[in-house]
Amino acid sequence: EAQVTQNPRYLITVTGKKLTVTCSQNMNHEYMSWYRQDPGLGLRQIYYSMNVEVTDKGDVPEGYKVSRKEKRNFPLILESPSPNQTSLYFCASCPWDPGANVLTFGAGSRLTVL
Amino acid sequence: AQTVTQSQPEMSVQEAETVTLSCTYDTSESDYYLFWYKQPPSRQMILVIRQEAYKQQNATENRFSVNFQKAAKSFSLKISDSQLGDAAMYFCAYRSALFTGANSKLTFGKGITLSVRP
């Protein structure tokens, strides 16, 4: 089944404890992206990657890092999480095809930072 | 920068009736895509419908259709014969047709919560 898989789905952590949210897609998509969803704000892009080894900041990158060493994986790293990073996170991917780049989203990861 | 506005935070519809969700956007681009996404309680983001700005014909997908008014920068979603499973949060989103760099992102509205009364 074609899908974007995120882990963990739920996580409660404490301020300052480094964590990684993994994202993997099995569709051979070139493009991958991370969004966060907060009440009243919709979804906002954190980082994106056009292809392997090519990443760039989105609208809200502060406090996050990403890497794209392999085409299928795009982990989101919180080096020192803070309570304002409590949010619902989505990873998404799509092919590099102007007529077909509709994002496929993962199921979401609910992160709580105490 | 592009913006997407969904001014109604909540709406309610009777089962089997029709409901229209409103969305307006602002852009200086002439070519772009507009989307409606559904987010049920499972939190999964599900694409409902997509509209290409250069196509004048309104997109339809079964019970879902849009009213795309390019000059007015309006993109409303009509749900016909509403079903209990339509209850969800709905997001309107914009994306440039360029799909390069920062133009690759989806710009989302704040969302609207739709409830369906049995």
Side-chain angles (χ1 to χ4, degrees), chain B residues 25-99:
Chain B
Y25 59 95
D26 191 27
T27 184
S28 58
E29 297 180 315
S30 59
D31 199 11
Y32 47 86
Y33 294 93
L34 295 164
F35 305 83
W36 278 99
Y37 280 89
K38 172 185 179 182
Q39 187 180 50
S42 66
R43 303 192 318 239
Q44 181 71 46
M45 293 292 288
I46 302 165
L47 178 67
V48 175
I49 202 162
R50 177 176 77 156
Q51 175 78 42
E52 298 167 78
Y54 66 86
K55 288 187 177 180
Q56 293 186 346
Q57 187 174 6
N58 289 325
T60 63
E61 288 287 343
N62 301 313
R63 298 183 295 108
F64 299 87
S65 62
V66 298
N67 183 5
F68 172 49
Q69 301 288 331
K70 191 173 184 179
K73 295 180 182 174
S74 171
F75 183 60
S76 60
L77 176 69
K78 184 171 82 171
I79 306 174
S80 304
D81 185 25
S82 296
Q83 301 175 0
L84 294 178
D86 294 334
M89 179 164 278
Y90 287 82
F91 291 96
C92 179
Y94 169 103
R95 204 203 76 213
S96 171
L98 290 173
F99 201 68

Side-chain angles (χ1 to χ4, degrees), chain A residues 23 32-34 47-49 55 66-68 73-76:
Chain A
C23 174
M32 298 185 75
S33 184
W34 278 100
Y47 268 94
Y48 64 95
S49 170
T55 64
V66 293
S67 68
R68 187 90 182 274
N73 295 323
F74 191 45
L76 180 69

Side-chain angles (χ1 to χ4, degrees), chain A residues 31 35 37 48 50 59 101, chain B residues 39 95 101 104-106:
Chain A
Y31 182 89
Y35 288 81
Q37 180 182 352
Y48 64 95
M50 289 291 188
D59 291 330
N101 32 40
Chain B
Q39 187 180 50
R95 204 203 76 213
S104 66
K105 73 176 180 184
L106 280 173

Side-chain angles (χ1 to χ4, degrees), chain A residues 27-92:
Chain A
M27 297 166 281
N28 201 37
H29 287 169
E30 291 82 8
Y31 182 89
M32 298 185 75
S33 184
W34 278 100
Y35 288 81
R36 61 177 287 173
Q37 180 182 352
D38 302 291
L41 295 177
L43 283 79
R44 295 174 293 166
Q45 189 184 57
I46 303 170
Y47 268 94
Y48 64 95
S49 170
M50 289 291 188
N51 213 325
V52 176
E53 301 292 0
V54 181
T55 64
D56 210 342
K57 297 177 181 179
D59 291 330
V60 288
E62 293 77 21
Y64 305 95
K65 286 176 57 178
V66 293
S67 68
R68 187 90 182 274
K69 293 182 171 55
E70 306 165 284
K71 197 172 189 178
R72 63 182 295 126
N73 295 323
F74 191 45
L76 180 69
I77 304 157
L78 287 72
E79 293 270 2
S80 182
S82 62
N84 64 12
Q85 293 179 296
T86 292
S87 189
L88 176 60
Y89 291 87
F90 287 97
C91 182

